Amino acid sequence: MPDARLIIRTFISDRLPQVEFSDDDEIFELGLVNSLFAVELVMFIERTFDLVLPNEVITLDNFRNVAAMAEMIELQQAQAVRSK
Amino acid sequence: MTAGAVNAQIGVRDRDSARAFVDERVIPLAEKFDYDGAIPRTFVADVAATGVFGAVVPAAYGGSGLDMVTLGAVHEEFGRGCSSLRSLLTVHTMVAWSISRWGTEAQRNQWLPRLATGEAMASFCLSEVEAGTNTSDIRSSATREPGGWVLRGRKKWITGGQLADLFLVFAKTETGIAAFLVPRDAGVQTEPINDVLGTRACMLAEVVLDSIHVPAEAELGPSSFAPAFLLTTGLDIGRYSLACGSVGIVQACLDACVAYARERRVGDVLLSEMQLTQAKVADMVTSVLAGRELCRRAGRLKDDGDEATIMATWVAKYFASRAAAKAATDAVQLHGANGCTREYPVARYYRDAKIMEIIEGTSEVQQITVGRAALQQGVRLPE
């Protein structure tokens, strides 16, 4: 599977084709996205990476930028493997 | 054993069983519910006995765990019979779904079995006098105290509020909008709102939160992410249910118009033989089929966990609610003066359909949301 950062960045770029942003830009703090997009983003991540994100993981800190999301996904995937 | 009890044992698990129950038990009473402005608790209990209130509750908690496409078909059938009753289904389903999706195991165990059977009825407590479309402007507050929260505020236009045992209350905290599971016996007061234009029997109420103390465990779901994350997902379910129910209104209008036009004569000519009647009926047929497909698509995407369901549901609601309003207008027109009386159901459909264009996001909000997304993303529409 392609790098998580690339997948997430592509998803966000498709939603905001006219906005340039880096993996470290805080997309919610910058007001680039809203609560509607937040829901779509969580659903996208769960579907794409075959995860069910627990409530405690769905925090602004974990979703603040692409880099943080990718790191969160890796942790969740590792936990899912350990649970099996 | 009463006929109602026999029917209730059949259970509502799909479109056919929903249709049968609605035809036999709901439609004969829908006009009376509307006239009285209320649905008796005894009837709500009969409906609950079919299992329909537990449609989105997983089987492990006593529900039927229906998929979203089937749920949509069921809600369409109830919308065909009685939009007020369908509205009670909608808000109860929104709360049950929210707990299923976001609740802790303790919250699920505490509430889902009771919601599944209808032993506890639930309402979605969001709107306020100054916050309808602008949900971020709600003023109800949740203040931390040792061991929990204190809720203060006043909610308005709460469907099912007169009979709810559980309120999913949205209130502002220091960090954003959070959701709380508040039982009525925590001290919640309700005041009926009567004599509204449509869905007159949906047990509407104002909900008063006068320093209601709830434990920490009453908070539901992630609250520190986007300002209204859990709110958005709950409203999505409500929007989907309402869209399906609106398709039901169109179907009801179609049924009424076909029956009327086959019997009514203007001079020597049956109404059904007149081209303008045929045109109106054609529009209703088209709207039912198109609306049903839009709802099915939204439901399929929900079942797939596909984020595209969010926008698909906005589109379905926008189309179906407007279609219902047009169909009901045409239905009253076709019935003439008879359509302005309670002798025929189309007057009720007309009033109920208007409500569909306002609640769960007005048609204008749907337009802005869908339009902005398309303009921002330059969307390629799905095949």
Side-chain angles (χ1 to χ4, degrees), chain A residues 11 14-18 28 32 34-36 38-44 46-47 52-53 55 58-60 63, chain B residues 101-104 221-222 224-229 232-233 301 304-307 309-311 314 369 375-378:
Chain A
F11 177 78
D14 285 348
R15 289 291 194 278
L16 304 171
Q18 296 173 328
F28 288 95
L32 298 178
N34 57 20
S35 57
L36 197 63
V39 172
E40 292 177 321
L41 185 55
V42 169
M43 291 185 71
F44 170 76
E46 288 188 328
R47 180 173 65 87
V52 177
L53 298 179
N55 289 350
I58 304 178
T59 64
L60 186 57
F63 283 81
Chain B
R101 175 62 178 92
W102 302 112
T104 62
S224 64
F225 188 13
F229 186 83
T232 301
T233 58
L301 291 169
D304 291 342
D306 192 322
E307 66 282 356
T309 189
I310 303 296
M311 196 52 64
W314 284 92
T369 302
L375 288 164
Q376 189 177 52
Q377 302 164 24

Side-chain angles (χ1 to χ4, degrees), chain A residues 54-71:
Chain A
N55 289 350
E56 57 269 20
V57 164
I58 304 178
T59 64
L60 186 57
D61 194 51
N62 281 337
F63 283 81
R64 66 185 184 279
N65 56 36
V66 173
M69 285 184 249
E71 185 179 336

Side-chain angles (χ1 to χ4, degrees), chain B residues 266-341:
Chain B
V266 179
D268 293 330
V269 183
L270 277 174
L271 213 55
S272 61
E273 294 172 11
M274 296 181 174
Q275 289 181 323
L276 292 181
T277 298
Q278 294 160 5
K280 286 181 170 54
V281 168
D283 284 352
M284 292 178 199
V285 169
T286 307
S287 291
V288 167
L289 294 175
R292 196 172 281 162
E293 281 307 311
L294 285 173
C295 288
R296 275 189 191 139
R297 174 172 174 265
R300 276 196 304 272
L301 291 169
K302 284 180 186 359
D303 288 331
D304 291 342
D306 192 322
E307 66 282 356
T309 189
I310 303 296
M311 196 52 64
T313 304
W314 284 92
V315 171
K317 194 271 183 182
Y318 174 58
F319 179 87
S321 57
R322 285 181 50 136
K326 180 178 186 304
T329 299
D330 287 348
V332 171
Q333 193 73 14
L334 190 148
H335 280 69
N338 282 325
C340 302
T341 73

Side-chain angles (χ1 to χ4, degrees), chain B residues 12 18 21-22 26 39 43-44 47-56 64 66 70-97 115-116 118 121-124 159-160 163 201-203 234 237-238 240-242 244-245 360:
Chain B
V12 169
F21 181 81
V22 167
V26 177
I39 299 176
F43 188 82
V44 174
V47 177
T50 69
V52 72
F53 286 117
V56 296
S64 39
L66 296 185
T70 304
L71 178 82
V74 169
H75 283 214
E76 179 194 317
E77 292 297 330
F78 274 83
R80 179 178 63 87
C82 176
S83 290
S84 292
L85 179 58
R86 195 274 309 146
S87 297
L88 294 183
L89 262 181
T90 295
V91 298
H92 186 93
T93 300
M94 290 163 76
V95 177
W97 183 90
L115 294 179
M121 294 299 297
S123 276
F124 197 85
T159 298
L163 51 71
C202 75
M203 312 303 281
I237 297 299
Y240 175 65
S241 169
L242 189 142
C244 299
E360 301 294 347

Side-chain angles (χ1 to χ4, degrees), chain B residues 104-339:
Chain B
T104 62
E105 195 56 31
Q107 289 169 334
R108 291 173 184 151
N109 284 324
Q110 179 182 6
W111 289 111
L112 290 183
R114 295 179 63 199
L115 294 179
T117 62
E119 178 195 332
M121 294 299 297
S123 276
F124 197 85
C125 263
L126 170 64
S127 296
E128 299 178 1
V129 171
E130 299 294 333
T133 292
N134 51 328
T135 54
S136 59
D137 288 345
I138 61 172
R139 295 180 183 176
S140 294
S141 64
T143 309
R144 286 188 188 273
E145 64 175 3
W149 301 84
V150 181
L151 304 179
R152 296 182 179 89
R154 195 175 184 99
K155 299 293 188 181
K156 194 166 183 180
W157 315 117
I158 307 305
T159 298
Q162 293 179 42
L163 51 71
D165 305 289
L166 174 67
F167 299 91
L168 181 58
V169 175
F170 292 86
K172 278 194 169 170
T173 66
E174 307 126 347
T175 55
I177 296 176
F180 300 90
L181 295 168
V182 184
R184 179 182 286 270
D185 60 16
V188 178
Q189 300 295 314
T190 58
E191 299 168 5
I193 298 175
N194 299 315
D195 291 329
V196 291
L197 172 68
T199 59
R200 285 169 46 83
C202 75
M203 312 303 281
L204 213 57
E206 288 199 43
V207 176
V208 183
L209 307 163
D210 187 4
S211 297
I212 303 295
H213 296 265
V214 295
E217 308 83 70
E219 186 178 1
L220 179 68
S223 62
S224 64
F225 188 13
F229 186 83
L230 192 135
L231 173 61
T232 301
T233 58
L235 288 175
D236 174 68
I237 297 299
R239 198 167 294 123
Y240 175 65
S241 169
L242 189 142
C244 299
S246 295
V247 175
I249 292 176
V250 183
Q251 180 71 65
C253 292
L254 176 60
D255 293 344
C257 289
V258 168
Y260 189 79
R262 285 175 174 174
E263 298 291 329
R264 180 72 176 180
R265 288 183 178 275
V266 179
D268 293 330
V269 183
L270 277 174
L271 213 55
S272 61
E273 294 172 11
M274 296 181 174
Q275 289 181 323
L276 292 181
T277 298
Q278 294 160 5
K280 286 181 170 54
V281 168
D283 284 352
M284 292 178 199
V285 169
T286 307
S287 291
V288 167
L289 294 175
R292 196 172 281 162
E293 281 307 311
L294 285 173
C295 288
R296 275 189 191 139
R297 174 172 174 265
R300 276 196 304 272
L301 291 169
K302 284 180 186 359
D303 288 331
D304 291 342
D306 192 322
E307 66 282 356
T309 189
I310 303 296
M311 196 52 64
T313 304
W314 284 92
V315 171
K317 194 271 183 182
Y318 174 58
F319 179 87
S321 57
R322 285 181 50 136
K326 180 178 186 304
T329 299
D330 287 348
V332 171
Q333 193 73 14
L334 190 148
H335 280 69
N338 282 325

